[in-house]
Amino acid sequence: MVFSLLFCLSSVSSLPQIADKYRNLDDGVRAFLAKMEYRWRDMNVPETDGELLYDIVLEHKYRKALEIGTSTGRSGISIAWALSKTRGKLTTIEIDPGRYEEALANFQEAGLSEFIEARLADAHELVPELEGPFDFVFIDADKDWYTNYAQAVIPKIEAGGCIAAHNVYERRDGWGGYGGTGGFFEHMKSLPQFETRILAESRGGLSVSYKKKIS
Ligand SMILES: C[S@@+](CC[C@H](N)C(=O)[O-])C[C@H]1O[C@@H](n2cnc3c(N)ncnc32)[C@H](O)[C@@H]1O
């Protein structure tokens, strides 16, 4: 009896305090990512590209993020982790119910649910309807629709904001063009209000297009 009372008291006193929440959140996310290291199976970004996304959001202090193509949540976790520090929020869209459910469970287990609004929807329909504004958009869904996604979000991107896109490879087969993403990269390069490039350090062909600030 005395033992169980003491056990209860020590358990209560070791519960995380609200003030500790964000310090503990980092530990929780790191532990989750370590557990998942060899378990991502659903076209998820490589770990290093997750780190690049995290760095971009944090460096620019982005707060209003949109992801097109949640899958089971690997990139969403990197983006939302950075947003937990900028006090931002991620809206992420997935069309496949199974992957959407798995992503929800992963966000929960990583401790990041409060920074994420996950939507089960066809992004072709939902993206044009979203109100914005956004300061960070990550496109990682159906490749042949990238240019359409970009055209739908460009009016909603704030100055200084970024459109990042995955699998935008420079083909080395002599045919030119950029992977399976159609004319997306060329389209972004042609827009004078954006600075567009592919990050050399990315393993998965991560392009970034920064909307210039008007000075
Ligand atoms: C490459 S995976 C995304 C990987 C994810 N960003 C990650 O790193 O964990 C692409 C995802 O886009 C989803 N997708 C494809 N077309 C879509 C659409 N029209 N609307 C919403 N999601 C779509 C697929 O079901 C798939 O789960």
Side-chain angles (χ1 to χ4, degrees), residues 72-90:
T72 48
R74 174 67 188 83
S75 49
I77 284 172
S78 294
I79 297 166
W81 191 12
L83 292 168
S84 74
K85 297 171 191 310
T86 62
R87 294 286 192 272
K89 188 112 191 175
L90 170 69

Side-chain angles (χ1 to χ4, degrees), residues 40 42-46 53 67-76 93-96 99 119 121-125 138 140-143 145-146 149 166-167:
W40 298 105
D42 294 272
M43 303 167 284
N44 313 94
V45 296
L53 294 169
E67 175 180 60
I68 306 168
T70 317
S71 183
T72 48
R74 174 67 188 83
S75 49
I93 309 169
E94 174 55 51
I95 200 168
D96 180 89
R99 287 198 277 269
R119 305 280 301 264
D122 183 347
H124 295 196
E125 291 163 15
F138 179 49
D140 192 21
D142 40 344
K143 308 303 166 203
W145 210 256
Y146 273 32
Y149 290 134
H166 208 233
N167 306 125

Side-chain angles (χ1 to χ4, degrees), residues 66 91 93 119 121-134 148-149 152-153 156:
L66 170 67
T91 300
I93 309 169
R119 305 280 301 264
D122 183 347
H124 295 196
E125 291 163 15
L126 184 56
V127 170
E129 284 170 16
L130 293 174
E131 208 171 297
F134 300 106
N148 302 62
Y149 290 134
V153 296
K156 303 166 191 174

Side-chain angles (χ1 to χ4, degrees), residues 139-150 164-171 176-188 198 204-207:
I139 305 175
D140 192 21
D142 40 344
K143 308 303 166 203
D144 59 351
W145 210 256
Y146 273 32
T147 307
N148 302 62
Y149 290 134
H166 208 233
N167 306 125
V168 188
Y169 299 107
E170 193 165 7
R171 281 168 59 164
Y178 291 86
T181 56
F184 166 78
F185 187 71
E186 288 85 346
H187 177 70
M188 293 310 297
I198 296 173
L206 187 62
S207 74

